Amino acid sequence: MREAKEKVIIVGVETEENQRYFAESMKELEQLIDTAAGEVVYRLTQKRPQVDRQTLIGKGKLQELTQLADAYEADLVIFNHELTPRQSQLITDAVGAPVIDRVQLILDIFAMRARSKEGKLQVELAQLQYLLPRLAGQGESLSRLGGGIGTRGPGETKLETDRRHIRNKILGVKRELKAVEAHRERNRQKRQSSEVFQIGLIGYTNAGKSTILNLLTQAESYAKDQLFATLDPLTKKWRFAEGFELTVTDTVGFIQDLPTQLIDAFHSTLEESQGMDLLLHVVDASSSDRILQEQTVLKLMDELDMKEMPVLTVYNKSDQIDTAGFTPTLFPNVLISAQTQEGKERLIEAIKRQLMELMLPYTKLVPSDQGQTLSELRRQTLVLDEHFIEEQNSYEVRGFANKNSKWLKKDELF
């Protein structure tokens, strides 16, 4: 039997500051609610020069919201803005229904999606840091033991209003995270010292990163038309037809107004991308707000000191647009549909072109009795051409190798 979805009223205030992306942001809020298994029953919007300091929407609209919550029997009211603890308290008292904001909704989805120990700890830390200043007067709503949107993760248990207890819990989670992060760092260093070429997938949430990971590596990564379908970084091996082996890492999707608690808590997740040799910035070419999504990702990359890294922009979902009228804004790029074989071939070709720009060319003579060496060359470098030279009883191999590769050393003996 399917569970009944929670009925949600969403509230947004369009101001001079956010008018450029207000409509897209409200649409995104609906998608987030759908991901969290809720159903939007009413959208309440208001235009003002700036938000009301006390209740965001002013007295008249607050009365209207109260009547709507009653008429639609809403289980929850979600604001498309971060609410201060005071605002949250005033609105909840007036409306008489649980009230959460966009930040809490995103934290809730992250709690649903986290699979690894580190992912769960990071979500818990972000939720605790968000809840700490909101403890006063929140006892009842924090212990909604019936579950539902905004209560997953640590919110499911009764959080004591003793701030010291919460602070101690935060310290405990941070200690655990340090140990897990140290283990991840050791794994990352091992991968880097093994000279394996590493590709990282980044991009706006729901752009198709997991689909591309599955396309290239046959990984069974969770790929669904939902926001934040992937949360924990997943690294998979990928082998070219020529034999060259590399790794591809999928990361959490970026989003407009990503909560600051999450930027901090998920820093190590996004740091996975910082040690990469090449980033694939996946963009949903069919999105009506593509440019804004690109800018959001570029801004966050800037904040994470990833601006200087080599990037290939992958415009995905070409099957959903008129390709003749498409104008790319980021370069170098490739336009594909990750759902087709042709898209896969175009993407591999574009990646090879990028590899040849980033790697260094080499030519090696490998004696015919050195089969092991030949097989290592194919696995560790991008071989473009190999042919047998009879007079020397050797194979001449031409290709490209990673800049710190042993195959580039002149004194390499076979």
Side-chain angles (χ1 to χ4, degrees):
M1 210 172 96
R2 287 183 65 185
E3 267 184 57
K5 289 189 169 190
E6 282 188 83
K7 293 183 199 162
V8 181
I9 290 176
I10 60 173
V11 185
V13 182
E14 185 179 344
T15 63
E16 289 162 3
E17 211 176 286
N18 70 11
Q19 62 184 9
R20 196 166 67 86
Y21 59 86
F22 179 72
E24 184 66 21
S25 179
M26 287 295 283
K27 196 167 82 183
E28 201 167 74
L29 183 67
E30 287 194 44
Q31 287 176 290
L32 287 166
I33 289 162
D34 182 56
T35 298
E39 179 193 0
V40 176
V41 291
Y42 196 88
R43 298 150 195 78
L44 183 67
T45 59
Q46 183 182 35
K47 268 191 181 185
R48 314 172 49 108
Q50 58 197 60
V51 296
D52 182 274
R53 281 216 314 257
Q54 297 251 306
T55 58
L56 262 82
I57 51 176
K59 279 183 186 158
K61 275 285 179 198
L62 192 60
Q63 275 181 329
E64 190 185 333
L65 177 60
T66 307
Q67 289 160 1
L68 287 165
D70 198 34
Y72 284 91
E73 297 178 339
D75 298 302
L76 192 59
V77 174
I78 302 181
F79 275 73
N80 195 26
H81 315 262
E82 184 166 356
L83 299 170
T84 65
R86 177 81 181 131
Q87 286 166 342
S88 184
Q89 193 60 55
L90 286 170
I91 299 165
T92 304
D93 290 347
V95 176
V99 175
I100 67 169
D101 60 19
R102 183 187 176 95
V103 176
Q104 212 169 334
L105 174 64
I106 291 172
L107 289 172
D108 187 69
I109 291 167
F110 273 53
M112 281 167 66
R113 290 274 177 264
R115 292 287 174 268
S116 70
K117 185 182 180 186
E118 185 182 21
K120 286 174 180 169
L121 285 169
Q122 285 170 327
V123 172
E124 186 172 2
L125 178 63
Q127 286 183 315
L128 290 168
Q129 286 172 331
Y130 176 81
L131 292 170
L132 184 60
R134 291 167 170 78
L135 286 171
Q138 289 280 312
E140 196 185 325
S141 61
L142 287 181
S143 57
R144 284 169 65 211
L145 286 169
I149 298 171
T151 67
R152 285 174 273 241
E156 283 180 334
T157 58
K158 184 163 169 52
L159 288 168
E160 293 91 336
T161 48
D162 178 358
R163 290 173 188 276
R164 197 168 52 220
H165 171 83
I166 300 297
R167 286 200 186 99
N168 287 343
K169 200 159 178 177
I170 286 173
L171 285 172
V173 172
K174 279 184 172 173
R175 264 196 303 272
E176 268 194 89
L177 258 177
K178 268 211 161 64
V180 177
E181 280 167 11
H183 177 67
R184 186 193 283 288
E185 182 55 37
R186 283 195 296 275
N187 282 352
R188 188 158 52 221
Q189 281 171 353
K190 208 186 287 176
R191 279 208 308 270
Q192 279 167 348
S193 64
S194 73
E195 297 181 10
V196 173
F197 195 94
Q198 299 173 80
I199 291 178
L201 291 163
I202 58 159
Y204 208 77
T205 183
N206 204 29
K209 296 183 298 299
S210 298
T211 308
I212 284 172
L213 179 77
N214 293 343
L215 183 77
L216 297 177
T217 67
Q218 279 78 55
E220 287 180 18
S221 171
Y222 182 76
K224 210 165 179 198
D225 186 16
Q226 283 183 332
L227 301 188
F228 298 122
T230 302
L231 194 57
D232 296 306
L234 176 65
T235 300
K236 287 284 170 190
K237 248 191 195 162
W238 175 34
R239 181 183 286 185
F240 281 3
E242 298 85 350
F244 181 42
E245 285 181 357
L246 51 166
T247 62
V248 187
T249 300
D250 191 8
T251 56
V252 63
F254 293 41
I255 194 168
Q256 186 68 31
D257 303 324
L258 188 72
T260 49
Q261 298 90 336
L262 281 178
I263 291 181
D264 294 341
F266 281 82
H267 215 277
S268 66
T269 304
L270 296 167
E271 268 174 7
E272 278 288 307
S273 306
Q274 287 175 319
M276 299 292 154
D277 298 297
L278 172 66
L279 292 176
L280 299 186
H281 174 190
V282 185
V283 178
D284 179 353
S286 69
S287 170
S288 55
D289 225 38
R290 188 193 96 212
I291 309 284
L292 181 71
Q293 292 180 0
E294 288 177 355
Q295 286 168 351
T296 300
V297 173
L298 296 177
K299 183 169 168 276
L300 274 165
M301 281 175 67
D302 202 8
E303 283 171 24
L304 290 162
D305 294 325
M306 289 159 62
K307 212 169 61 171
E308 301 306 313
M309 293 180 70
V311 179
L312 168 66
T313 301
V314 181
Y315 287 109
N316 188 25
K317 308 190 185 180
S318 66
D319 51 319
Q320 296 174 29
I321 60 165
D322 168 21
T323 52
F326 178 76
T327 311
T329 35
L330 300 175
F331 299 87
N333 63 63
V334 60
L335 177 63
I336 68 154
S337 164
Q339 304 291 347
T340 66
Q341 183 59 31
E342 188 200 351
K344 180 179 181 177
E345 286 160 15
R346 283 171 70 100
L347 178 58
I348 292 171
E349 275 313 305
I351 291 171
K352 278 185 188 170
R353 280 198 301 275
Q354 285 304 112
L355 292 187
M356 287 189 267
E357 282 190 30
L358 296 169
M359 296 161 94
L360 297 170
Y362 74 85
T363 303
K364 288 275 176 200
L365 271 181
V366 184
S368 61
D369 59 352
Q370 297 287 325
Q372 179 66 30
T373 303
L374 202 55
S375 120
E376 265 186 56
L377 254 182
R378 289 181 192 131
R379 206 170 61 247
Q380 294 170 9
T381 74
L382 179 59
V383 172
L384 294 187
D385 177 56
E386 58 175 91
H387 63 272
F388 187 64
I389 302 173
E390 237 170 290
E391 310 86 81
Q392 291 168 286
N393 195 28
S394 297
Y395 288 94
E396 186 183 66
V397 183
R398 286 188 317 106
F400 285 80
N402 216 351
K403 47 187 176 288
N404 55 354
S405 171
K406 65 177 183 182
W407 302 106
L408 295 173
K409 292 173 187 164
K410 294 286 178 219
D411 58 351
E412 185 70 43
L413 296 172
F414 300 116

